[in-house]
Amino acid sequence: MALAAISLLCFAALLPFPGLGLPAGSGKLEQVPVRVTVINELTNEQISYSTTVLEEGLMFGALNQLQDTNDGFKFTYTIHKTSGIYLESVNGLAGSDKDQTHWELLSERAGVITRLGVGIGCYQPQRDDNMILRFTTWAKQ
């Protein structure tokens, strides 16, 4: 939950700015190719999508671009006034406190998978990045 709070705060800090985190005076930025892989660890299902994101843009923009251009991909989110964007569901599947499930955000670059330290409102994918949305569980404490 702390990771979610930090990542959402990052987006909230960008809300007052019209460029939504894009560099000021950056001129014309190009669209760069990225991939989004959705993994459901509970059912061992995986599907990958190709899309683009504005160079130096945000994961949130890439997910919106994908949703706008591919009828097979949908996501929902909420915007918390104090903490920013929170990913709720992907393709109709939402995390649940009762079931101890959530969407984990990862990135794969050059074959190395890392857990993101920020959320969809702050992460800036790079050219040919594979953004992984993994539906998983957490252990009871």
Side-chain angles (χ1 to χ4, degrees):
M1 281 315 226
L3 174 61
I6 292 169
S7 63
L8 297 175
L9 285 172
C10 180
F11 175 75
L14 298 174
L15 285 176
F17 302 100
L20 195 59
L22 294 178
S26 59
K28 187 175 181 180
L29 298 175
E30 68 176 287
Q31 293 284 332
V32 297
V34 293
R35 191 172 57 187
V36 175
T37 300
V38 178
I39 299 172
N40 183 336
E41 280 193 343
L42 305 181
T43 62
N44 292 320
E45 295 176 280
Q46 177 175 321
I47 186 166
S48 289
Y49 306 90
S50 294
T51 190
T52 60
V53 64
L54 190 62
E55 184 179 23
E56 300 180 27
L58 302 173
M59 184 179 198
F60 181 67
L63 296 178
N64 275 295
Q65 171 75 7
L66 179 56
Q67 182 168 255
D68 290 347
T69 59
N70 188 316
D71 290 336
F73 178 82
K74 301 289 181 219
F75 80 106
T76 63
Y77 59 92
T78 55
I79 298 177
H80 298 268
K81 288 183 179 182
T82 57
S83 45
I85 300 176
Y86 181 78
L87 179 65
E88 286 190 334
S89 74
V90 177
N91 295 335
L93 183 59
S96 162
D97 286 340
K98 178 184 172 218
D99 297 330
Q100 298 184 329
T101 56
H102 67 107
W103 285 99
E104 182 179 27
L105 306 177
L106 307 159
S107 173
E108 180 183 16
R109 289 189 190 152
V112 177
I113 297 175
T114 55
R115 180 178 289 151
L116 299 183
V118 296
I120 64 174
C122 294
Y123 181 70
Q124 291 183 298
Q126 304 297 310
R127 178 181 298 274
D128 299 321
D129 200 354
N130 181 21
M131 298 172 286
I132 301 170
L133 310 176
R134 182 167 61 187
F135 190 71
T136 189
T137 63
W138 69 85
K140 283 188 176 186
Q141 303 210 8

